[in-house]
Amino acid sequence: MTRESSLRADIVEVGRRLYARGYTASNDGNISVRLGADRLLMTPKSVCKGFMTPDMMCITDLDGKKLQGDRDPSTEMQMHLEVYRQRPDVQAVVHAHPPTATGFAVAGIPLDRAVLAEVLTTLGSIPIAAYATPSTKELPEAVGRYIKAHDGMLLANHGALTVGADLFNAYFKMETVEHFARISLVARLLGRENLIAREEVLRLQGLRGTYGVQAPAPICTDFGEVSSVDLQDPASCQVVRAPKGDGQRLVPDILDGSATGARSVPMSSDPDAEIRLTYRQLSALIEDAVRSLK
């Protein structure tokens, strides 16, 4: 089997997994992989990712010109091209609409809180690229603002994007994004998240090499450590929200119910401490419980 044949089969398999896990519906999503120094292998437009065959793929150059294929490439091809232009190290791009992560993207809540060690070491943080009309030049511009520093991001009111050193590496990062979103949602519904302390976050960052992780940028643990120039250029670091530990590795927090989820109120470390909810939070929990009983 040639390398091209193998990659075509791999795209079919990744598309099948995305569809089977509910990360795409109908013709949603798109996948691409480097075929050579100046060529890409890409999924076609208007095809369900769960029912592709190897012969459906398109070959394009890095300017988006179709070189081979009976079908036209994805309408969101320019987003992929922007990634490859800015990240010579990236070999594959996966775009999908995983439901929970996309819910965070719709709510405008980035996945940037220090919650899971595995996410911190692999992806660092998962920001939200500004809303852009799909299939227009606005989308690659929005993605381009973050891609130098991040291997995964949410797309406002759209979905998620992940990149990797190979196709399955990019796909597994999409799994990580959705898994993180689900865990974070459950913790928030329960009223609190135990955040990993800033000192521990930096320790985990130091272990990236031990884990074989080649991160595109270092972690910044809060905006207080980032200069005004860095704030204007999110390609400089992966901003993770982590409180000072004061000797603790985990810092109990309770969400304050703000729209962005960026703020938190410290809780007592007493396991029997009272959890206080606003009327809005309590109403939302009751409504969710009622829906689950129907």
Side-chain angles (χ1 to χ4, degrees):
M1 180 181 288
T2 65
R3 180 172 181 271
E4 180 181 328
S5 298
S6 178
L7 289 175
R8 286 174 179 268
D10 287 347
I11 291 178
V12 169
E13 175 61 18
V14 167
R16 185 194 67 79
R17 295 188 186 198
L18 290 171
Y19 187 70
R21 294 183 72 98
Y23 292 1
T24 62
S26 185
N27 298 335
D28 294 349
N30 28 80
I31 306 164
S32 67
V33 63
R34 286 190 194 267
L35 189 55
D38 56 357
R39 295 190 303 156
L40 302 175
L41 191 61
M42 187 173 301
T43 51
K45 67 179 182 181
S46 303
V47 171
C48 176
K49 304 308 170 290
F51 296 91
M52 296 187 296
T53 55
D55 60 289
M56 291 181 177
M57 307 310 156
C58 307
I59 296 177
T60 75
D61 62 18
L62 293 179
D63 292 322
K65 180 182 178 181
K66 187 174 77 170
L67 303 177
Q68 183 180 327
D70 295 331
R71 299 168 181 262
D72 291 331
S74 168
T75 56
E76 293 180 332
M77 171 178 59
Q78 293 301 325
M79 176 175 64
H80 292 245
L81 296 176
E82 181 67 18
V83 173
Y84 292 117
R85 280 193 288 264
Q86 292 206 36
R87 292 282 301 276
D89 60 307
V90 166
Q91 298 297 311
V93 178
V94 173
H95 166 52
H97 303 165
T100 310
T102 301
F104 275 83
V106 170
I109 303 174
L111 294 168
D112 61 356
R113 291 164 64 86
V115 175
L116 297 176
E118 295 79 6
V119 174
L120 290 168
T121 53
T122 54
L123 292 172
S125 67
I126 304 165
I128 299 180
Y131 177 75
T133 305
S135 308
T136 70
K137 67 177 183 179
E138 295 175 353
L139 188 55
E141 290 173 358
V143 168
R145 190 161 183 258
Y146 291 94
I147 194 59
K148 284 187 178 179
H150 297 86
D151 284 348
M153 69 184 73
L154 304 179
L155 308 176
N157 294 72
H158 189 168
L161 179 84
T162 54
V163 305
D166 59 58
L167 183 53
F168 281 97
N169 181 259
Y171 165 73
F172 289 137
K173 287 173 183 171
M174 184 64 70
E175 283 193 346
T176 297
V177 169
E178 177 66 359
H179 192 59
F180 179 22
R182 289 168 124 185
I183 292 171
S184 184
L185 177 61
V186 170
R188 290 167 190 241
L189 288 173
L190 293 174
R192 65 187 290 177
E193 289 180 306
N194 285 325
L195 301 185
I196 297 174
R198 186 174 306 171
E199 298 80 1
E200 180 67 7
V201 170
L202 296 177
R203 183 180 181 215
L204 289 168
Q205 177 177 231
L207 293 173
R208 278 176 160 177
T210 303
Y211 299 146
V213 176
Q214 298 294 323
I219 289 174
C220 301
T221 53
D222 72 2
F223 285 114
E225 298 177 7
V226 186
S227 70
S228 60
V229 174
D230 290 333
L231 286 175
Q232 296 172 8
D233 179 15
S236 61
C237 68
Q238 300 168 345
V239 177
V240 172
R241 299 187 181 276
K244 289 185 178 180
D246 296 326
Q248 304 177 72
R249 291 192 178 185
L250 294 180
V251 181
D253 275 18
I254 182 169
L255 301 179
D256 70 352
S258 64
T260 63
R263 295 169 52 211
S264 61
V265 179
M267 285 185 61
S268 167
S269 59
D270 179 4
D272 296 321
E274 180 182 5
I275 296 178
R276 296 182 181 272
L277 298 177
T278 65
Y279 180 77
R280 179 183 296 178
Q281 290 172 317
L282 180 60
S283 297
L285 288 172
I286 292 172
E287 290 173 1
D288 184 68
V290 170
R291 282 195 298 270
S292 69
L293 293 175
K294 291 182 178 178

